[in-house]
């Protein structure tokens, strides 16, 4: 059974801080790892990572995959209050485009 | 472009009642997924369809839950009879065919069973 574990469970920082969120996985026939941001409603797609060592970047957010360590990190620099959300990591394995999600990291950014 | 559309946004009903949740996927997407999210268990996949055919329903908790996809633009998730432990946010997501396509989520239905 595929498994995704995220850490920390929650995090409180101040605006301007840099944060690193962690995701580790066990999956049969790994295909890709995805990061989502969930505020009050739907999870919204951030990144998809398929190749080890290649960083994906979007503004202040970046993510990298380490297939050897079966893990990924999501970095957010110069955090803003609008970054407050639950960040979800998910992996895609063998079956269709099915995802297995981790429990999420709840980030709170204080002004 | 319209995203995944779910209805209703909120549903409050008494235990024993039938509940029907609805989903319209993004046009052209071949995969449709139903999830349930709770504080205790996080986001769990219930069932998914490919080209309107159910592929994996191993996440459906009990026979009280059923899902259909009569055509490419509509799916329902039904709970009958409902119980208080079914209270959760139910999400529908869809994705395009092909390898490694991200899923796009609707805004969810917040279900409360009293």
């Amino acid at each position: 059974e595929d498994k995704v574990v995220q850490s920390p469970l929650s995090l409180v920082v101040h605006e301007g801080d840099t944060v690193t969120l962690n995701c580790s996985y066990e999956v049969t026939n790994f295909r890709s790892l995805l990061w989502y941001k969930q505020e009050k409603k739907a999870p919204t797609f951030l990144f998809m990572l398929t190749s080890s060592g290649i960083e994906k970047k979007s503004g202040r957010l970046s993510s990298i995959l380490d297939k050897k360590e079966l893990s990924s990190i999501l970095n957010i620099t110069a955090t803003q209050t609008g970054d407050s959300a639950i960040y979800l990591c998910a992996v895609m394995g063998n079956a269709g485009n099915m995802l297995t999600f981790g429990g999420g990291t709840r980030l709170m950014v204080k002004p | 472009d319209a995203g995944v559309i779910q209805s209703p946004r909120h549903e409050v009903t008494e235990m024993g009642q039938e509940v029907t949740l609805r989903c319209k996927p993004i046009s052209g997407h071949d995969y449709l997924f139903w999830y349930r999210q709770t504080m205790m268990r996080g986001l769990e996949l219930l069932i998914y369809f490919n080209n309107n055919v159910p592929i994996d329903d191993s996440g459906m908790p009990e026979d009280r839950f059923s899902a259909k996809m009569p055509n490419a633009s509509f799916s329902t998730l039904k709970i009958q009879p409902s119980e208080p432990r079914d209270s959760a946010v139910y999400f529908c997501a869809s994705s395009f065919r092909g390898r490694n396509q991200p899923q796009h989520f609707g805004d969810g239905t917040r279900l409360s069973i009293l």
Side-chain angles (χ1 to χ4, degrees):
Chain A
E1 185 179 318
D2 298 346
K3 189 177 173 184
V4 179
V5 177
Q6 292 186 244
S7 64
L9 250 60
S10 65
L11 197 52
V12 180
V13 300
H14 287 94
E15 274 193 316
D17 288 350
T18 293
V19 298
T20 298
L21 310 183
N22 302 289
C23 175
S24 62
Y25 62 87
E26 295 171 23
V27 62
T28 305
N29 294 330
F30 174 89
R31 284 167 54 186
S32 58
L33 184 144
L34 293 84
W35 285 96
Y36 285 82
K37 177 183 181 182
Q38 185 176 21
E39 296 175 86
K40 292 182 182 173
K41 298 179 189 173
T44 53
F45 172 69
L46 294 174
F47 298 113
M48 176 183 277
L49 303 151
T50 55
S51 300
S52 207
I54 297 177
E55 186 181 52
K56 289 275 180 98
K57 208 168 163 58
S58 176
R60 296 176 294 101
L61 276 68
S62 64
S63 183
I64 196 159
L65 176 66
D66 186 338
K67 280 186 172 178
K68 189 175 172 188
E69 296 296 326
L70 306 182
S71 66
S72 174
I73 58 170
L74 176 68
N75 281 322
I76 308 175
T77 59
T79 51
Q80 302 171 357
T81 54
D83 296 326
S84 296
I86 297 172
Y87 290 84
L88 295 164
C89 174
V91 291
M92 190 181 294
N94 220 3
N97 283 347
M98 204 171 86
L99 294 175
T100 300
F101 280 86
T105 293
R106 184 180 293 271
L107 173 66
M108 180 182 292
V109 182
K110 291 187 170 181
Chain B
D1 286 341
V4 176
I5 299 171
Q6 291 187 245
S7 65
R9 293 294 309 279
H10 303 275
E11 174 95 15
V12 181
T13 192
E14 292 189 348
M15 68 176 288
Q17 298 297 305
E18 178 178 293
V19 172
T20 300
L21 312 182
R22 296 172 176 80
C23 175
K24 178 178 166 55
I26 294 172
S27 178
H29 280 192
D30 299 274
Y31 286 89
L32 184 138
F33 305 82
W34 282 102
Y35 289 90
R36 177 170 69 176
Q37 187 175 41
T38 61
M39 289 288 289
M40 290 294 293
R41 299 175 68 91
L43 202 56
E44 301 174 279
L45 178 67
L46 300 176
I47 185 171
Y48 81 96
F49 295 82
N50 179 215
N51 291 323
N52 314 337
V53 175
I55 303 300
D56 188 335
D57 66 354
S58 59
M60 296 284 260
E62 298 169 36
D63 290 346
R64 299 185 295 106
F65 285 69
S66 62
K68 292 182 180 178
M69 192 164 185
N71 57 62
S73 58
F74 183 66
S75 177
T76 59
L77 178 69
K78 192 173 288 190
I79 309 172
Q80 166 64 19
S82 58
E83 297 182 4
R85 61 194 166 119
D86 302 329
S87 298
V89 181
Y90 289 81
F91 286 103
C92 176
S94 69
S95 70
F96 195 58
R97 69 178 176 275
R99 279 182 78 79
N100 297 335
Q101 296 294 325
Q103 294 177 21
H104 299 274
F105 284 75
D107 283 344
T109 295
R110 183 172 294 276
L111 177 64
S112 297
I113 309 296
L114 306 177

